[in-house]
Amino acid sequence: MPRITAARVIVTCPGRNFVTLKIETDEGVYGLGDATLNGRELAVASYLADHVAPCLIGRDAHRIEDVWQYLYKGAYWRRGPVTMAAIAAVDTALWDIKGKIANLPVYQLLGGASREGCMVYGHANGRDVEETLDDARRHVEQGYKAVRLQSGVPGLAATYGVAKHGQRYEPADGDLPTESLWSTSKYLRSAPALFEAGREALGWDVHLLHDVHHRLTPIEAARLGKDMEPYRLFWIEDAVPAENQANFRLIRQHTTTPLAVGEVFNSIWDAKQLIEEQLIDYIRATVVHAGGITHLKRLASFAAIHNVRTGCHGATDLSPVCMAAALHFGLSVANFGIQELMPHTAETDAVFPHGYSFADGLMHPGDGPGLGVDIDETLAARYEYKRAYLPVNRLEDGTVWDW
Ligand code: EZ4
Ligand code: CO
């Protein structure tokens, strides 16, 4: 039985912050788990180092389900992004260890491959429609079968998902939150035009997606869904905030555009009504923010019986350890839908050497034992944590809005 001898938290900032848990065992085998919570990184680092790690020492690393239940039920305080990211990190690291000891990639332990690879979607963005479509064409040339289109909104200086010229998009951009301005009416005029031009320029063979980033009310989202129907989107993402799951009834009633939600969800309970009532088509929860591979598998099984497929979050603030775990999960799970891909920088990839790969629009986790991702601790130590916040949104009259 491999006993846990250490659980160390590694914080590094190769361009952006990442929190990684490394669990070591008396058999010399170690495992990694991502614990990054964008803009709130040190809260999870403390939860792990101060409250979780002491409880892990001496435990049997093979008892993944038992450790999960112990950390979830044993804390008394349930759910929440900080707790669930910490549990996810432990869970992911234990799957990594089990795979390495079995000498099998994690997806084999999860039931084996259900497909040849995981279809991913890339992010095309630009300050205007032409720039966005140029970027989309580049993605199609690289082999992407699915592309998300986000464009600047005329009359708004900046908006979610659009990079400053020539730079990569990275939303946590200030050591205090920056503020941006939002106008729903300006946005609702421009979004359908982007997709009309998108179908003209890109044709009908590529899947097109769009992220509303929680900025609409249900009736506005219903209108957007209807306006997008002619362009046959793969999905509209996060049309409205989803604390009130019943919001989606109203949207659903009005449009056949598929709906995706859940990148900020951290447990099955955040999606229970959405899934049971078939109010969504894709659930976006992913490994690091939703309790690890163990909990995500439970969520996916529940979703499967209600015809909801997976569409895991995959932004750059989720580390390569999370991406590897999401790919093992995605390759194996019966109701996989699509995986988001925002490639990491070369600096990040160097800190986290990994075996996953991209070809012809699909990603594969690789066939190395465990997750197939490592951390170069010497390199990681060179990049000191740097406080960074996500922006805050305001309406034109100054009202704080959803970012
Ligand atoms: O804004 O991960 O679909 N992707 C997204 C992301 C989120 C960031 C927040 O940390 O919405 O870009
Ligand atoms: Co999103």
Side-chain angles (χ1 to χ4, degrees):
M1 169 199 6
R3 281 200 186 278
I4 298 174
T5 52
R8 288 190 293 117
V9 178
I10 302 162
V11 180
T12 182
C13 185
R16 60 150 304 100
N17 294 316
F18 293 109
V19 179
T20 309
L21 181 71
K22 182 169 184 173
I23 296 184
E24 294 166 358
T25 66
D26 59 1
E27 297 187 3
V29 177
Y30 63 86
L32 299 178
D34 182 21
T36 310
L37 184 63
N38 204 5
R40 297 291 186 271
E41 295 87 356
L42 298 185
V44 188
S46 160
Y47 192 94
L48 280 168
D50 298 331
H51 305 295
V52 172
C55 305
L56 294 177
I57 309 304
R59 275 176 204 282
D60 178 356
H62 273 326
R63 294 181 63 168
I64 299 178
E65 180 68 33
D66 182 68
V67 170
W68 196 97
Q69 299 295 340
Y70 185 90
L71 294 175
Y72 184 82
K73 295 180 179 164
Y76 184 64
W77 311 105
R78 294 182 184 221
R79 305 159 61 186
V82 175
T83 304
M84 296 304 279
I87 295 176
V90 174
D91 182 79
T92 309
L94 294 183
W95 279 105
D96 192 19
I97 289 169
K98 197 184 280 295
K100 285 176 177 170
I101 290 176
N103 199 26
L104 287 170
V106 167
Y107 76 82
Q108 294 291 11
L109 307 180
L110 301 177
S114 290
R115 53 196 54 79
E116 302 310 313
C118 302
M119 179 168 70
V120 292
Y121 70 93
H123 287 196
N125 69 85
R127 289 168 301 178
D128 55 28
V129 172
E130 264 327 296
E131 257 185 37
T132 305
L133 297 182
D134 284 346
D135 196 13
R137 283 188 204 95
R138 281 193 288 277
H139 279 83
V140 172
E141 280 160 22
Q142 288 167 29
Y144 280 90
K145 297 178 192 305
V147 186
R148 190 187 92 160
L149 306 183
Q150 306 291 138
S151 192
V153 176
L156 296 183
T159 191
Y160 165 76
V162 179
K164 293 180 188 114
H165 193 54
Q167 292 174 21
R168 297 165 67 101
Y169 182 66
E170 189 59 67
D173 61 358
D175 85 331
L176 284 174
T178 57
E179 297 206 355
S180 39
L181 203 64
W182 177 249
S183 159
T184 295
S185 55
K186 291 187 170 100
Y187 166 72
L188 282 180
R189 280 198 301 275
S190 70
L194 170 64
F195 281 81
E196 182 181 14
R199 279 301 176 207
E200 252 169 54
L202 306 165
W204 295 86
D205 288 336
V206 58
H207 297 298
L208 298 181
L209 300 82
H210 183 64
D211 192 349
V212 178
H213 223 263
H214 309 114
R215 285 150 190 230
L216 299 178
T217 65
I219 198 67
E220 290 163 353
R223 159 60 57 205
L224 180 67
K226 278 176 103 141
D227 287 351
M228 293 291 208
E229 278 171 23
Y231 316 117
R232 299 290 188 269
L233 269 62
F234 187 90
W235 78 34
I236 282 185
E237 171 180 338
D238 293 344
V240 296
E243 289 98 323
N244 182 352
Q245 298 179 39
N247 276 345
F248 277 76
R249 282 191 191 141
L250 196 140
I251 310 171
R252 196 61 153 175
Q253 187 179 316
H254 288 289
T255 182
T256 56
T257 296
L259 302 172
V261 72
E263 68 184 41
V264 304
F265 291 1
N266 44 66
S267 93
I268 201 165
W269 303 103
D270 292 330
K272 182 171 177 288
Q273 186 182 7
L274 289 169
I275 291 172
E276 267 173 355
E277 294 186 25
Q278 298 187 222
L279 301 178
I280 56 171
D281 301 279
Y282 297 92
I283 177 72
R284 299 224 345 109
T286 194
V287 177
V288 53
H289 299 137
I293 292 172
T294 297
H295 195 65
L296 209 58
K297 255 190 93 71
R298 192 160 285 135
L299 178 53
S301 301
F302 175 56
I305 58 174
H306 299 286
N307 303 100
V308 175
R309 294 197 284 164
T310 67
C312 290
H313 190 202
T316 41
D317 45 291
L318 288 68
S319 92
V321 180
C322 180
M323 178 52 95
L327 291 172
H328 287 281
F329 165 79
L331 195 69
S332 63
V333 76
N335 52 327
F336 171 80
I338 198 165
Q339 166 70 47
E340 182 179 24
L341 170 62
M342 268 178 93
H344 289 107
T345 60
E347 288 83 358
T348 296
D349 283 340
V351 169
F352 298 98
H354 51 76
Y356 57 75
S357 58
F358 171 96
D360 296 328
L362 308 184
M363 284 184 79
H364 194 283
D367 279 303
L371 293 174
V373 55
D374 209 343
I375 185 163
D376 180 335
E377 289 195 60
T378 316
L379 197 53
R382 278 193 220 152
Y383 299 109
E384 207 181 317
Y385 167 78
K386 198 162 165 266
R387 193 176 66 196
Y389 285 93
L390 290 169
V392 167
N393 234 359
R394 288 187 191 274
L395 301 181
E396 286 159 302
D397 71 356
T399 308
V400 172
W401 199 245
D402 304 274
W403 176 74

